[in-house]
Amino acid sequence: MRAQDLFDVSGETALVTGAGRGIGLAMAQSLADNGAQVALADKDMERAEVSARSIRDNGGRALAISLDVSKPDAIEEAYSRVEAELGPVSVLINNAGVAHRDKATRLAPETLRKVLAVNVEGAVMMAQEAARRMIRDARSGSIINISSILSEIPIRQVAAYGASKAAISQLTRSLALEWAKHDIRVNEIRPGWFETGLTDPFLKGPGAKVMAGQNPTGRLGGGHDLDGAVLLLASKAGRYMTGTAITVDGGHSLGR
Ligand SMILES: NC(=O)c1ccc[n+]([C@@H]2O[C@H](COP(=O)([O-])OP(=O)(O)OC[C@H]3O[C@@H](n4cnc5c(N)ncnc54)[C@H](O)[C@@H]3O)[C@@H](O)[C@H]2O)c1
């Protein structure tokens, strides 16, 4: 099959959470550039609107959705809106996530709860609703969970975040196993360090240079470094891939 057919996503309707900025926005842009219709869900509606408009201005089909993934009651309605305006979701990208920076001895229960509510509970509920609708209509689909290299590598002061991403890795395998018979693929992308609003507290000032220096390629991730992995998992090119993780980190997890 020719690459353009293999990686074609023009028939897909993708829902990307946390797509108002950063990695989520870049993935939504890439899917739209390649013909998918995209719903950009974010708890910050203004951000989602601006981002969806930028995709539309570029000739893509994009819809902004106001959604806090940690509020389970809002999830069904968000899917129904996407379904009414764009059609049933065939690709879900569980990208919305929050980080923190606390010494483990000072990690407050509310921080732990918030990180798990968004990064884990939100991803579970979003995947559940996607799968329910796919199974209802006997449609195949692709669920892509954005974890992190920190799901395996511990670093100081982000115990809750690391634990949440490790949970996403296991969740990916569990859901993949359970839903394979419905032709619903569930995979994981593990990004390394990317310069976004989320990593500002870690990379501000000299931090970015130090972290880039620790990467074998000498740079942090950015822009559209995840496009290849996303298009692979969202398209026919990844049709026999499920329950797997793709690390996109410029070799960071290899060490120096
Ligand atoms: N930036 C990195 O280096 C990096 C590395 C590995 C993994 N990740 C993961 O990638 C994902 C995106 O990270 P990013 O760096 O683009 O972050 P970011 O902070 O730049 O963007 C995250 C977006 O998610 C939205 N969001 C936050 N909580 C939400 C909620 N409850 N419901 C809906 N939307 C919500 C925010 O409003 C924001 O627009 C996260 O899951 C993060 O853990 C990032």
Side-chain angles (χ1 to χ4, degrees):
M1 200 182 268
R2 288 162 58 85
Q4 70 198 60
D5 298 323
L6 198 57
F7 289 89
D8 181 31
V9 288
S10 58
E12 309 298 340
T13 298
L15 168 55
V16 186
T17 66
R21 70 175 190 187
I23 284 176
L25 173 57
M27 293 187 293
Q29 278 167 339
S30 164
L31 288 165
D33 285 349
N34 286 281
Q37 329 187 65
V38 288
L40 293 88
D42 206 291
K43 70 168 197 241
D44 184 330
M45 185 53 175
E46 204 181 313
R47 228 178 245 171
E49 284 281 16
V50 170
S51 298
R53 201 174 315 127
S54 74
I55 290 177
R56 286 196 298 271
D57 289 347
N58 216 22
R61 187 142 184 236
L63 171 72
I65 296 277
S66 169
L67 174 67
D68 180 339
V69 298
S70 67
K71 306 260 158 63
D73 293 348
I75 288 177
E76 217 184 305
E77 194 190 319
Y79 271 91
S80 294
R81 212 183 133 216
V82 178
E83 213 164 288
E85 303 218 14
L86 299 178
V89 172
S90 57
V91 176
L92 164 66
I93 306 192
N94 263 326
N95 165 78
V98 289
H100 68 102
R101 190 169 190 178
D102 301 282
K103 289 191 166 161
T105 48
R106 294 201 197 131
L107 181 61
E110 50 276 17
T111 305
L112 178 60
R113 273 197 290 269
K114 185 182 176 201
V115 170
L116 294 178
V118 178
N119 297 8
V120 183
E121 214 180 306
V124 176
M125 299 298 151
M126 289 300 296
Q128 216 175 39
E129 190 57 26
R132 280 188 190 128
R133 288 170 187 246
M134 288 167 188
I135 294 166
R136 174 198 70 192
D137 304 339
R139 284 181 290 111
S140 61
S142 171
I143 296 173
I144 303 168
N145 294 324
I146 307 303
S147 61
S148 164
I149 53 170
L150 302 184
S151 71
E152 271 203 351
I153 305 168
I155 63 166
R156 290 173 186 86
Q157 300 189 26
V158 289
Y161 181 80
S164 76
K165 294 302 184 180
I168 287 297
S169 299
Q170 184 63 353
L171 177 75
T172 299
R173 292 186 286 263
S174 304
L175 300 183
L177 183 62
E178 207 163 320
W179 294 339
K181 63 172 181 279
H182 300 293
D183 204 8
I184 299 170
R185 299 182 292 107
V186 188
N187 292 291
E188 178 196 337
I189 296 177
R190 289 184 185 171
W193 288 88
F194 281 59
E195 262 181 306
T196 66
L198 184 98
T199 49
D200 253 8
F202 304 88
L203 301 177
K204 246 191 282 182
K209 218 168 164 196
V210 171
M211 206 51 89
Q214 286 178 10
N215 190 298
T217 59
R219 73 168 177 90
L220 297 168
H224 289 278
D225 284 333
L226 296 179
D227 285 8
V230 169
L231 289 174
L232 169 64
L233 295 176
S235 69
K236 285 191 286 293
R239 71 190 150 202
Y240 199 50
M241 296 174 71
T242 196
T244 199
I246 302 180
T247 299
V248 185
D249 69 346
H252 195 104
S253 46
L254 300 171
R256 268 185 282 184

